[in-house]
Amino acid sequence: PNGSTVLELGKDAKNLYYVPSPEAMTLVVPPSNLIVEQGPIREAAAKLRVPFSLFTETPLDAVPLTAASFDAALLFDMLDGAPEQAAYGAVSLLANALKPGGVLLFAEREGANLPAICADFNLQVASEAEGGFDVGIATRRPPPSRQTRKQKAAAAARGRRRPVAVDPAKGGFGAAGGRGEAPRE
């Protein structure tokens, strides 16, 4: 959504243009055998006119991101052929960076098994397979409530209670007689 802080695990700046009006963007380009040209990435980011951070050649477990600080994360065709440990590292980075209720948008080859990996990180996943890709959205669940069962039940009961006028002459709780009986004197 507009005004969101967005994190992408990507290769280049091509997806930056598809984010309409972010508040800030962060691009993490994981270490690889390819030389990353930062100039074109920074030029593309400058056109957005928003704060932009770029991390290249930094191992994923060393990228200095604040936990629960991003509204959305993007992961498009990055895990094909990556070892399972690398895929778990990528999802760990993105899931940890998302705020509760934040979303991870993804399109990854089916072989990467991304929906299952996201579920392992307690993300709520909605996806479908399309043309050899898993396409979907994974949402970071809010942290569990610290209320006890009794507190939850009491709160739920308070929410259901409605004031009811009781006329003892017509019976009901507090009436001296039973249903429909006149009060006894």
Side-chain angles (χ1 to χ4, degrees):
N2 291 343
S4 297
T5 51
V6 180
L7 169 64
E8 179 182 8
L9 183 64
K11 306 173 194 126
D12 51 37
K14 68 182 177 202
N15 292 326
L16 297 179
Y17 296 109
Y18 299 109
V19 180
S21 299
E23 178 181 313
M25 290 281 304
T26 298
L27 175 61
V28 176
V29 181
S32 68
N33 295 330
L34 304 174
I35 297 173
V36 176
E37 296 292 334
Q38 289 191 24
I41 293 172
R42 292 196 182 278
E43 286 174 25
K47 292 177 184 175
L48 292 174
R49 298 175 194 232
V50 298
F52 177 75
S53 300
L54 175 63
F55 296 96
T56 61
E57 300 305 318
T58 304
L60 295 182
D61 59 356
V63 176
L65 298 176
T66 303
S69 59
F70 290 88
D71 299 300
L74 309 175
L75 184 61
F76 299 116
D77 201 21
M78 288 294 298
L79 302 179
D80 185 34
E84 185 177 50
Q85 182 180 1
Y88 271 86
V91 174
S92 174
L93 172 82
L94 299 172
N96 186 52
L98 286 173
K99 294 176 182 177
V103 296
L104 166 61
L105 305 174
F106 64 86
E108 287 292 333
R109 298 199 187 269
E110 288 179 89
N113 202 22
L114 192 61
I117 295 172
C118 288
D120 286 347
F121 283 93
N122 201 29
L123 297 173
Q124 184 176 342
V125 182
S127 68
E128 59 183 51
E130 172 114 7
F133 281 82
D134 284 321
V135 179
I137 183 170
T139 306
R140 182 171 181 191
R141 295 179 175 142
S145 170
R146 297 197 188 283
Q147 288 182 323
T148 66
R149 271 191 233 172
K150 283 184 179 180
Q151 289 171 324
K152 287 179 186 177
R158 281 192 303 273
R160 289 190 301 261
R161 288 187 189 151
R162 294 184 206 128
V164 177
V166 176
D167 182 355
K170 294 184 179 180
F173 295 113
R179 278 175 86 93
E181 294 178 23
R184 295 181 196 167
E185 293 185 24

